[in-house]
Amino acid sequence: GILIYLKNGLQYSDRTDLKIWSESTWVELVVGCQVLVIGCLYRPPSSDPSSFADSLEESIDKIPTNYQIILVGDFNASSPSWCPTDHYNPSGRILEPIFQTLGLTQHLTSPTHLRPDGVPNALLDLFLTNKSCSVVDVCTHPPIGNSDHLAVEGIVSLDTMKNIQKHQDCRKIWCYGKADRPNLIRDLQNADWTPVTTATHIDAAWDFWKETFLSITERHIPSKKLKQLKPKLPWVTTKEEREIKLKHYLFRTFKRTGLAPDREAF
């Protein structure tokens, strides 16, 4: 089965008109002045890839070109253009040029399907976007439950959320110990502060002082971005935290070696 979970409070609508392929679901999100369409699809290995391509093309044609589009799901198609360790399968040969024609870019580059010993893993779960969608990062995580497919995470940038996200994720740290103090003092003394004392409004005086002061300090005091740690989930105990770290360690080990004992340990 397929489904899409949405956070409470998001403005969205079901796009049932886009459900040309039976095993698909589509939603349209409105974020500020931007519209994002998300499609989750599953193509069984036994299904005709040409019919799937025709259905997908019909759905995409109904979406305005200025909308952002994200398509995710198990397409059961592989191509060395997406993952260097993969080989073409018949579905990949058909779908890859169709994606290009529709202006879709596939962002994952590592296997997502864990196969038995001796059989190379394959990239079957795709993360596709159109040119209007700005992708920040796409990565994989350990499988959920007993699935033999990795979980896929994608992060996209929306203009209305950029400044909020930057403020939440990192903060600027001044490296005062490495400051060029003589030149800093010189430039502060030589700066023209007249607009501060002659401004007719306190806000104008403050804006000029702040802009001038920061422009000088940035020239003479190095800085760095410090990523802030996400707050700890209140329902995760210390024991569970250790078990989660162990799970990720065992997964990375198995992903690196591909050995049966490592998979069993994971």
Side-chain angles (χ1 to χ4, degrees), residues 27-209:
V27 294
E28 180 179 302
L29 296 171
V30 178
V31 183
C33 59
Q34 294 181 317
V35 181
L36 173 64
V37 176
I38 302 175
C40 182
L41 307 94
Y42 173 66
R43 191 193 72 80
S46 58
S47 65
D48 179 18
S50 297
S51 298
F52 176 80
D54 292 340
S55 300
L56 181 60
E57 187 171 5
E58 187 175 347
S59 297
I60 297 297
D61 285 344
K62 293 183 177 183
I63 304 173
T65 55
N66 62 324
Y67 284 16
Q68 298 191 35
I69 302 174
I70 298 176
L71 301 181
V72 295
D74 183 358
F75 289 72
N76 278 298
S78 59
S79 163
S81 300
W82 305 331
C83 180
T85 59
D86 274 354
H87 299 285
Y88 277 114
N89 65 6
S91 300
R93 292 189 183 277
I94 293 174
L95 294 180
E96 183 181 7
I98 295 297
F99 293 156
Q100 294 173 353
T101 302
L102 296 175
L104 299 173
T105 301
Q106 203 292 117
H107 296 276
L108 274 168
T109 58
S110 60
T112 60
H113 182 211
L114 305 177
R115 292 173 170 172
D117 284 343
V119 181
N121 297 334
L123 169 57
L124 302 180
D125 307 87
L126 308 183
F127 190 95
L128 299 150
T129 66
N130 65 344
K131 293 181 180 178
S132 300
C133 194
S134 178
V135 176
V136 176
D137 186 32
V138 178
C139 58
T140 57
H141 296 285
I144 298 174
N146 296 324
S147 174
D148 57 357
H149 287 252
L150 304 185
V152 176
E153 177 187 10
I155 302 174
V156 299
S157 175
L158 299 176
D159 289 339
T160 54
M161 298 176 64
K162 281 182 180 178
N163 293 332
I164 297 175
Q165 191 65 36
K166 287 180 180 179
H167 177 73
Q168 292 176 341
D169 289 349
C170 60
R171 59 191 178 96
K172 191 172 187 177
I173 301 296
W174 295 98
C175 303
Y176 296 108
K178 299 180 180 179
D180 182 0
R181 295 178 182 274
N183 288 323
L184 172 64
I185 295 172
R186 182 202 64 201
D187 286 356
L188 288 173
Q189 291 174 339
N190 294 336
D192 182 11
W193 300 102
T194 304
V196 177
T197 57
T198 59
T200 57
H201 196 281
I202 186 63
D203 289 339
W206 162 249
D207 289 339
F208 178 84
W209 185 92

Side-chain angles (χ1 to χ4, degrees), residues 2 18-26 39-42 52 59:
I2 52 174
L18 302 179
K19 190 176 179 178
I20 312 301
W21 184 255
S22 59
E23 297 196 63
S24 68
T25 185
W26 302 75
C40 182
L41 307 94
Y42 173 66
F52 176 80
S59 297

